[in-house]
Amino acid sequence: MQNLLSDVVVVDLTRALAGPHAAMMLGDLGARVIKVETPAGGDDSRGWGPPFVGGESTYFLSANRNKESVTADLKSAEGKDFLTRLVGKADVLIENFRPGVLDRLGFSVERLHALNPALVILSITGFGHDGPEGGRAGYDQIAQGEGGLMSITGASEPTKTGMPIADLLAGMYGAYGALAALHERAITGRGRVVRTSLLASVVGVHAFHGTKWTVAGQLPERVGNHHAQIAPYGMYSTQDDSIQVAVGSEGQWRTFAPIVGLDPDDGRFASNAERVAHRDELTAAIEAAFAAEPADVWLQRLAEAGIPAGKVRDFQQVYEWEQTRSQGLLVDVEHPELGKIQLPGPPLRFDDNPYAGARESNLPPPRLGEHNDAVRAWLDED
């Protein structure tokens, strides 16, 4: 198959996670992604570990497949000249410097568009490009706290998510915006600037928690492993393990209740609103029933009744699960130092490709400066 973005060249000036994830998403769709790194160590995440395998940070490996790496000191005349030439042949430039840094390096938006009017510029910051705190440095956990996510996560105290979700969402929103700008450019011939931030990405997924405040004037609360506005919907203990159950409609409730020995018309539980109000009583009753038999028995029984339910898997169980593998969610790459390795793959499939992503083959995360000669030779072709 032909790579979907095979005619797109992306200049990746980013480091850490949000920006590299956005660039990797475009690389997964077939774009040529040229990652420009400082000669003195490269992307910060190359040093984020342990674990390191063969000297490679598994953190860096997670966000930099399908890229080439070149080194350049953008503070030097030679580095500035290199980036100038690269911008002239690029379609997208992605940066996640603090506001003003790229300007001080001599590559303001105005200069970039003077060099290449068709360039799409994706800029990702911590808290936005303007406003009273637009210049703040941003890291994932800080953004999770400032953006309200930690206030609704956990049981007894504010808790971050296990995944660096602010970084990953900012990368996803950024790639989404860049694709929209590329579509517009195909019509107008001109590029534009796309901006997002870690703060924006967290607020952007507040969903019903946000409207609980903006519309109803109620602060969302932490409810642990249960849904804030639907019951029963959460994690429950059985005889030997925990399972998750999601009863999302009144019809499902009327099927589920007798399975656990409850009367669906019990006044405490007769509607979702009543079940949420009496959540503790409902949870205790469900777990009292679940305690009689093992998790697998309950999962089978619930599946036969059409009630959504599932296990709580660790990462080994996820990656060994045949359903995960059937969806192409692991990709094989041949790394020059590590040999054949598997990486968590892109979560997209296209109808003429049985695997995730949109490339004929996947490139391993590059070694620092691995493609210096190849990229500079390509620039000299004209």
Side-chain angles (χ1 to χ4, degrees), residues 155-301:
S156 60
E157 64 179 14
T159 305
K160 72 178 183 66
T161 65
M163 292 293 184
I165 198 68
D167 276 332
L168 295 171
L169 285 170
M172 293 168 66
Y173 275 126
Y176 162 70
L179 289 173
L182 284 171
H183 175 74
E184 180 194 47
R185 189 189 70 168
I187 300 169
T188 66
R190 297 192 64 83
R192 69 160 60 242
V193 181
V194 180
R195 294 190 170 104
T196 192
S197 68
L198 274 63
L199 173 63
S201 74
V202 171
V203 176
V205 294
H206 277 180
F208 58 86
H209 292 289
T211 52
K212 186 172 184 177
W213 170 252
T214 62
V215 178
Q218 299 177 24
L219 278 175
E221 299 176 346
R222 290 183 296 280
V223 291
N225 288 317
H226 291 271
H227 197 290
Q229 293 175 230
I230 307 173
Y233 190 128
M235 189 172 77
Y236 302 89
S237 298
T238 71
Q239 187 181 80
D240 64 345
D241 205 352
S242 295
I243 63 173
Q244 308 222 65
V245 180
V247 177
S249 70
E250 294 305 320
Q252 288 180 346
W253 165 247
R254 301 195 73 80
T255 300
F256 173 78
I259 294 174
V260 292
L262 293 174
D263 177 2
D265 296 315
D266 183 319
R268 299 169 298 168
F269 310 139
S271 70
N272 182 69
E274 291 293 343
R275 293 192 294 275
V276 170
H278 297 92
R279 185 197 314 278
D280 291 345
E281 295 172 67
L282 179 60
T283 298
I286 292 171
E287 292 195 329
F290 279 176
E293 294 181 277
D296 285 344
V297 171
W298 285 110
L299 288 172
Q300 179 65 32
R301 189 171 296 159

Side-chain angles (χ1 to χ4, degrees), residues 14-29:
T14 68
R15 66 270 185 233
L17 186 54
H21 190 76
M24 184 174 69
M25 288 180 66
L26 299 180
D28 286 342
L29 294 175

